[in-house]
Amino acid sequence: MLTLAVTEWTPTATVSDPVEDLDGPLVRSAGRGDAIAFEALYRRHNGRVHGVILRLVGGHAGRAEDLTQEAFVRAWQALPSYRFESAFSTWLHRLAVNTALMELRSRRSRPQASDDEDELDNIGTPDSAGHVTALTMDLERAVATLPPRARAVLVLHDVEGWKHEEIAAELGMAVGSSKAQLHRARGLLRTRLGGSHDA
């Protein structure tokens, strides 16, 4: 079991950093180039990283898979400079979100293709707890149809718990714009979900 492997892993240096989390020994080994330790981190965090990226890219499974792989490549490259100032899971999650946001920003500068209806059929993926329900699938489909910036703000604020100041800084917008995009996203979701669920 991975939990046992993590607790039995002994770090080469002792650090009394209160921020260090359970991943600390694996992160230290991976930061020194240990691919097996990094593979254990990948297995442990892949689901959550993929989940947030999938939501940010509107349920496009292929794009989410590519960006998840890209996020882990970036994590591998950045691990030697990781400073344990936050939990590894927090650091990795932020790196994954930034990877997806960079891709969304680059797509904004290109002409957008229309959404493919078939892509929406692939959205019923498990949430971070591993559950798939009809309501979750309806909500995921509705979120996937939101305009990209509104979707990003909604996911970051309502799902990931970011503050508007953080979202504004990451997306290059004013705090007021972040709040307006969240209001817009919620309104669109109410409209889109209203027809399928009675109040």
Side-chain angles (χ1 to χ4, degrees):
M1 186 174 183
L2 184 57
T3 309
L4 292 175
V6 172
T7 56
E8 292 172 1
W9 201 295
T10 54
T12 56
T14 53
V15 176
S16 58
D17 186 350
V19 177
E20 184 172 354
D21 59 311
L22 295 176
D23 291 321
L26 287 170
V27 173
R28 290 182 190 290
S29 294
R32 292 189 302 270
D34 184 340
I36 293 172
F38 187 74
E39 183 181 338
L41 291 168
Y42 174 84
R43 284 193 314 267
R44 184 173 213 185
H45 296 283
N46 181 50
R48 184 167 183 243
V49 166
H50 184 266
V52 69
I53 290 175
L54 185 67
R55 287 182 183 96
L56 285 169
V57 299
H60 296 277
R63 279 172 61 198
E65 187 58 40
D66 290 346
L67 288 169
T68 299
Q69 295 306 313
E70 184 177 335
F72 276 100
V73 167
R74 289 182 182 189
W76 172 254
Q77 293 167 340
L79 265 179
S81 61
Y82 174 64
R83 297 177 180 257
F84 291 88
E85 293 170 353
S86 62
F88 172 75
S89 59
T90 303
W91 176 83
L92 177 64
H93 192 259
R94 180 66 67 132
L95 186 146
V97 167
N98 287 338
T99 300
L101 292 178
M102 285 186 341
E103 199 264 352
L104 289 173
R105 280 193 289 265
S106 73
R107 281 184 172 262
R108 259 182 60 208
S109 63
R110 298 189 302 245
Q112 258 188 330
S114 60
D115 288 334
D116 185 354
E117 288 296 320
D118 294 335
E119 286 292 332
L120 296 178
D121 293 335
N122 298 325
I123 296 174
T125 56
D127 61 16
S128 58
H131 302 292
V132 177
T133 63
L135 179 58
T136 299
M137 290 169 65
D138 288 348
L139 181 58
E140 292 286 352
R141 282 188 177 99
V143 169
T145 66
L146 294 174
R149 286 174 74 81
R151 180 176 62 234
V153 172
L154 178 86
V155 169
L156 293 175
H157 187 273
D158 287 358
V159 178
E160 300 301 320
W162 287 29
K163 295 180 175 138
H164 282 292
E165 292 77 12
E166 296 172 299
I167 296 168
E170 286 298 326
L171 295 179
M173 63 172 62
V175 171
S177 296
S178 176
K179 292 178 179 178
Q181 289 285 358
L182 180 62
H183 179 74
R184 176 183 183 208
R186 288 175 175 168
L188 288 169
L189 279 182
R190 275 192 295 274
T191 300
R192 291 171 186 177
L193 292 172
S196 45
H197 299 289
D198 295 326

